[in-house]
Amino acid sequence: MKIRYDILPLLAATWLMVSCSSDVPEDESAGQSTPLHLMPAISSLLEVSPWSAARGAGDAPVSWGTRASYETTKLPTGYVAFQALHPDANASLTTIGAFLTPDAANAVCSFAYQSDNDWSSTVPLTEGQKYYIYGFMPHYAGDGATITSLNGTGGSDYANGAVITIPDFSTITTADVCAVAGVRKGGGDERITALKDNLVLGQFDYLVAAEGENTIFVLLRHLYASLRFRLNIDREYHRLRSIYVTKIELEAMDIPGSGTLTITLNANDDGDDPVTSTFTPGGGAPQDLSITLYDAHPTEGDYTPDNKPGMDLPELTPEDFLGCFAPGQCSSFRFKSTYDVYDRKGNLIRQQCTAENTFSIPTISGMTAGDVYTLHITVKPTFLYVLSDPDLDNPTFEINE
């Protein structure tokens, strides 16, 4: 099953960003540029009980795709290979930002998605030296991320942990916001789906190989809560009409537009979760902020008998869309769909229609990092004038609890 994203902004952010960037001159003593590969696993999302307190007795981890294909006992409990949660590689195009401390504490390295669960970059490394790797996702050029050691003094103290600060971070986003919760060096033909040794939370050290491939297995832990929308079409209505969705937008109402995201990482040898995070809203009046979950970008020239722009809503297997938000900052939302309608013979009978649903989740403030609430949306008609009439009714997008 695929979670869909609007990926064009992410693509723009990842192209050509495969090195370390900094606002200060690069250290001339840094080692030679070395290809480095990150292969992540990610914590499962936790499905919260409908319209109730965030973590109910029936809550269970959620991952999409064929989870069994990606599970391994070498991962911490609740973690799966990245593909298990985000099986559509094209929808997973985002960057991982990583500080290779202590040498490169002034520069964040951008690892761009390539293929087959591989994020790569070319970074200055010194052979045989130990680094401590602290990072986050997504990283965009110019995001202003900085790092300090856990006690603020820098240097070798990075062995104990770090604090990453990202200013002006969006309150609501299409990206799955995560922190690096542990790393381990990979070897030989080892892959995240076939680990030979345990990948443990709280360990961040990495020794650069003198030769051969430098692969690092990475654990990613969610920092935001999320809403998942599952769209399908009513079976009886689908006998007469097809709905092609061309755009989906999610608007959070009366929220701070951005804030400072602070990620604290406590290195440990006990396998404990090392991540804590806070989101501190910025100044300014609350506002309504919209994100695009899906956009087919149709134009007039796209509409031909053999080409129907957008996504044909299915009856049985819903399409999934994910929007993420800073915990405790959002409570009211507007879900807007733009769609085209075709009759059972494939004739376009209504174009670029819109449907809006406004909803509030009373206990959404109780949702924490990694929680997901799912809303099922079924397209149903209000009425059809005449079954043989090419004019369409006004279908409604009905949210089901």
Side-chain angles (χ1 to χ4, degrees):
M1 191 173 297
K2 299 179 180 180
I3 300 176
R4 306 246 185 178
Y5 301 86
D6 180 33
I7 65 171
L8 293 182
L10 301 181
L11 283 169
T14 58
W15 286 341
L16 304 181
M17 288 171 41
V18 289
S19 61
C20 297
S21 59
S22 175
D23 294 330
V24 299
E26 188 172 315
D27 185 355
E28 293 181 359
S29 65
Q32 296 182 344
S33 294
T34 303
L36 193 61
H37 300 268
L38 303 185
M39 294 187 176
I42 191 168
S43 55
S44 296
L45 293 169
L46 184 70
E47 183 77 65
V48 302
S49 299
W51 305 94
S52 62
R55 294 178 180 262
D59 298 338
V62 174
S63 59
W64 292 279
T66 308
R67 178 174 176 178
S69 300
Y70 300 109
E71 286 185 317
T72 169
T73 57
K74 302 298 183 181
L75 290 174
T77 301
Y79 279 76
V80 294
F82 192 87
Q83 304 103 307
L85 197 61
H86 300 293
D88 187 344
N90 290 328
S92 303
L93 289 172
T94 186
T95 53
I96 298 174
F99 291 94
L100 278 68
T101 62
D103 284 358
N106 292 323
V108 58
C109 297
S110 299
F111 290 81
Y113 180 78
Q114 303 300 315
S115 62
D116 192 25
N117 204 52
D118 179 15
W119 277 251
S120 67
S121 183
T122 301
V123 298
L125 298 173
T126 301
E127 292 181 357
Q129 179 169 323
K130 180 185 289 187
Y131 291 84
Y132 299 96
I133 300 176
Y134 300 102
F136 60 96
M137 183 184 81
H139 162 59
Y140 301 117
D143 61 16
T146 59
I147 191 171
T148 62
S149 66
L150 195 58
N151 58 13
T153 62
S156 60
D157 289 329
Y158 279 104
N160 299 317
V163 179
I164 297 174
T165 304
I166 313 172
D168 199 28
F169 202 86
S170 182
T171 309
I172 182 171
T173 175
T174 57
D176 188 355
V177 183
C178 294
V180 172
V183 306
R184 177 174 72 74
K185 180 179 177 59
D189 58 354
E190 194 178 17
R191 290 295 180 264
I192 197 69
T193 53
L195 295 174
K196 296 178 181 178
D197 296 306
N198 291 336
L199 181 51
V200 181
L201 289 164
Q203 297 187 4
F204 297 95
D205 58 291
Y206 174 73
L207 184 65
V208 180
E211 59 184 20
E213 182 181 272
N214 281 282
T215 298
I216 304 175
F217 298 120
V218 174
L219 295 171
L220 296 175
R221 210 266 268 165
H222 304 286
L223 301 180
Y224 271 27
S226 56
L227 295 174
R228 179 175 66 142
F229 300 91
R230 310 199 73 198
L231 274 67
N232 69 323
I233 191 169
D234 177 75
R235 179 176 297 181
E236 292 300 316
Y237 179 54
H238 201 205
R239 293 181 180 181
L240 304 170
R241 301 288 187 261
S242 291
I243 300 292
Y244 279 71
V245 173
T246 59
K247 190 174 184 178
I248 294 178
E249 300 162 274
L250 177 65
E251 183 178 45
M253 295 179 284
D254 198 31
I255 66 168
S258 63
T260 298
L261 180 62
T262 304
I263 307 166
T264 302
L265 302 164
N266 286 276
N268 65 84
D269 295 323
D270 302 319
D272 294 335
D273 183 357
V275 181
T276 57
S277 64
T278 59
F279 180 89
T280 305
Q287 58 183 286
D288 297 343
L289 189 63
S290 180
I291 57 174
T292 300
L293 304 183
Y294 173 77
D295 195 348
H297 304 285
T299 64
E300 283 295 329
D302 292 333
Y303 291 91
T304 68
D306 297 323
N307 182 54
K308 299 179 178 64
M311 177 183 45
D312 185 10
L313 286 185
E315 292 179 11
L316 300 178
T317 305
E319 293 286 351
D320 289 272
F321 304 87
L322 195 71
C324 302
F325 59 93
Q329 302 300 322
C330 307
S331 59
S332 297
F333 296 88
R334 179 177 292 111
F335 182 84
K336 181 179 178 181
S337 304
T338 304
Y339 60 94
D340 301 323
V341 186
Y342 296 83
D343 67 16
R344 60 190 178 88
K345 293 185 178 180
N347 299 309
L348 177 64
I349 52 180
R350 290 194 68 184
Q351 185 177 354
Q352 295 299 279
C353 307
T354 60
E356 293 188 6
N357 295 92
T358 300
F359 60 94
S360 291
I361 302 177
T363 56
I364 198 171
S365 60
M367 292 178 69
T368 60
D371 287 345
V372 60
Y373 180 79
T374 299
L375 296 103
H376 301 269
I377 300 178
T378 301
V379 178
K380 298 179 70 173
T382 51
F383 61 90
L384 291 172
Y385 295 107
V386 180
L387 292 183
S388 60
D389 194 321
D391 292 331
L392 180 74
D393 62 307
N394 260 334
T396 59
F397 283 61
E398 179 180 280
I399 294 181
N400 305 304
E401 297 181 15

